[in-house]
Amino acid sequence: MSKLSIAAIAFVVAFSAAASAQSSDPRGACKADYDKFCAGLAPGGGIVACLNGKRDQLSATCKTALDSRKKK
C-alpha cells in the first residue's frame, strides 16, 4: 500500500471520528441553533431548556445531540 493511500485512509478515519464527536456533543451540534434561538443566554442560564423549548425548529443534528445527552 502506498504512503498516499495510507494517508488518505488516515484522513477519512480522523474526519469520521471528528464528525461523530461533533454530532453527539450538543455544544458543537447545536451551535447554529443556539445562535438562532437562544443567543444571549450564558452557560448555566437555561440553554438546554431553551433549545428543548424550540425542539420542533432545531436541526436534526442538534436534536440527536440533545437526545444523546439525556441518555447519559
Side-chain angles (χ1 to χ4, degrees):
M1 194 177 280
S2 73
K3 288 182 181 181
L4 182 59
S5 296
I6 294 171
I9 291 170
F11 175 78
V12 170
V13 170
F15 181 78
S16 296
S20 177
Q22 182 178 3
S23 66
S24 65
D25 180 8
R27 290 172 291 187
C30 296
K31 172 102 173 74
D33 295 301
Y34 164 79
D35 290 341
K36 186 174 182 179
F37 302 116
C38 305
L41 289 176
I47 295 171
V48 173
C50 175
L51 291 170
N52 280 322
K54 303 286 186 178
R55 188 168 182 84
D56 60 328
Q57 300 172 57
L58 299 178
S59 66
T61 305
C62 183
K63 288 178 187 177
T64 300
L66 289 172
D67 290 345
S68 71
R69 186 179 186 276
K70 289 179 185 176
K71 294 176 185 176
K72 290 183 179 180

